[in-house]
Amino acid sequence: MGKANRPGPFGSTSGIILAAVIGALGVGVFVLGARRYLPPVASRHGIGIDAMLVYLLVTTGTLVVLGHLVLGYFVFRFSRGREVSSSLPGVRAERIWSIVPALIMTVIAEGGVLVIGIPVFSELYTEGPPSDAIVIEVTAEQFTWNVRYPGADGAFGRLDPSLISAENPLGLDPSDPAGVDDIHELALMYVPVNRPVRVRLRAKDVLHSFYLPYHRIKQDAVPGMTIDLWFVPTREGEFDLACAELCGFGHYQMRGFLHVVSEEEFERWLEERRG
């Protein structure tokens, strides 16, 4: 390497500026990513989901900053060279710098999923809801949510798709006595706080997606299928229910509300609807 190509202790002026921009870009991305974008969590399992997201953002954000700082240092340190060096790293160095980053990324990505994500997934999808869960049937259709509660008998009435009409949007079979006292709401759900809620999700026409952003719940509703999901609301209040699947020209109007209330208020509401 000739004298003109040797890196000096400091880079050129343009190299120093470029190195500063690269470093500032990495730090800026980390600072912007550190802001809170999710709404406050309102379900028990949502705490675990948020913890996994925070873990992934912090670890990958740290790698982004380190990567930018190292790149900035190289630019700062070697920007005085006039020609590109022809020296290449050895095979051993190539293997080390190929395998080590891959192992680090694997540990970061899969470690977080295994330690934080798997317990949440197991609770929701393998253990199932407790026996005291409130059971609600939600049927999505363009462009609203049909919410049905069982009556005083605790049983849902039978549905028959051939009976669906403007007056009978769910196709409730009038010959089934279990359906006489069923409670039907439109885009409105009431549930008690700190009690498991089991949702039997159906779709009447096209694909929809049942989305409770505050409760970290999102599940596709597929015509012809009944999909169960459950969660435990931990905060009282009124929360948005949205469709997260583009389901037609009125998709933007497909909005509902979830009211999480005390156990006593829920029972009063239920009695009023039964009356």
Side-chain angles (χ1 to χ4, degrees), residues 16-234:
I16 294 174
I17 295 175
L18 180 58
V21 170
I22 292 173
L25 184 62
V27 175
V29 168
F30 187 87
V31 171
L32 286 176
R35 297 172 58 189
R36 186 172 185 84
Y37 294 96
L38 295 173
V41 65
S43 66
R44 190 175 69 188
H45 76 278
I47 297 172
I49 291 178
D50 282 12
M52 187 171 67
L53 291 175
V54 169
Y55 164 80
L56 290 174
L57 287 173
V58 169
T59 52
T60 55
T62 302
L63 291 177
V64 167
V65 173
L66 289 176
H68 279 74
L69 292 179
V70 170
L71 179 60
Y73 169 75
F74 286 159
V75 172
F76 170 76
R77 183 71 175 82
F78 299 106
S79 62
R80 293 187 67 183
R82 299 294 182 185
E83 298 178 3
V84 177
S85 171
S86 60
S87 61
L88 296 173
V91 175
R92 184 169 180 273
E94 286 184 343
R95 289 176 177 172
I96 290 175
W97 286 105
S98 298
I99 295 174
V100 170
L103 289 177
I104 292 175
M105 287 304 300
T106 301
V107 170
I108 288 175
E110 301 305 324
V113 171
L114 291 173
V115 175
I116 306 175
I118 290 295
V120 178
F121 182 89
S122 176
E123 179 186 7
L124 289 183
Y125 295 105
T126 63
E127 297 176 8
S131 57
D132 64 338
I134 300 293
V135 182
I136 306 171
E137 182 189 85
V138 177
T139 302
E141 70 169 301
Q142 293 175 319
F143 298 97
T144 190
W145 304 94
N146 295 281
V147 181
R148 188 163 66 123
Y149 293 78
D153 58 1
F156 287 104
R158 186 170 53 250
L159 300 179
D160 183 348
S162 65
L163 299 175
I164 292 177
S165 65
E167 295 74 24
N168 188 3
L170 295 178
L172 192 63
D173 187 349
S175 66
D176 182 8
V180 173
D181 58 355
D182 283 1
I183 300 168
H184 183 199
E185 295 287 344
L186 210 55
L188 182 65
M189 294 175 63
Y190 265 74
V191 298
V193 68
N194 293 323
R195 185 167 172 187
V197 177
R198 177 185 175 189
V199 177
R200 298 173 57 188
L201 187 61
R202 304 165 65 241
K204 185 177 171 182
D205 36 37
V206 299
L207 279 176
H208 300 274
S209 187
F210 180 84
Y211 183 34
L212 294 171
Y214 288 84
H215 301 81
R216 310 297 190 259
I217 286 287
K218 187 163 73 172
Q219 173 63 57
D220 283 353
V222 184
M225 297 179 65
T226 300
I227 301 172
D228 277 17
L229 59 101
W230 74 282
F231 62 98
V232 180
T234 55

Side-chain angles (χ1 to χ4, degrees), residues 5-20:
N5 297 328
R6 293 175 188 167
F10 301 104
S12 63
T13 302
S14 59
I16 294 174
I17 295 175
L18 180 58

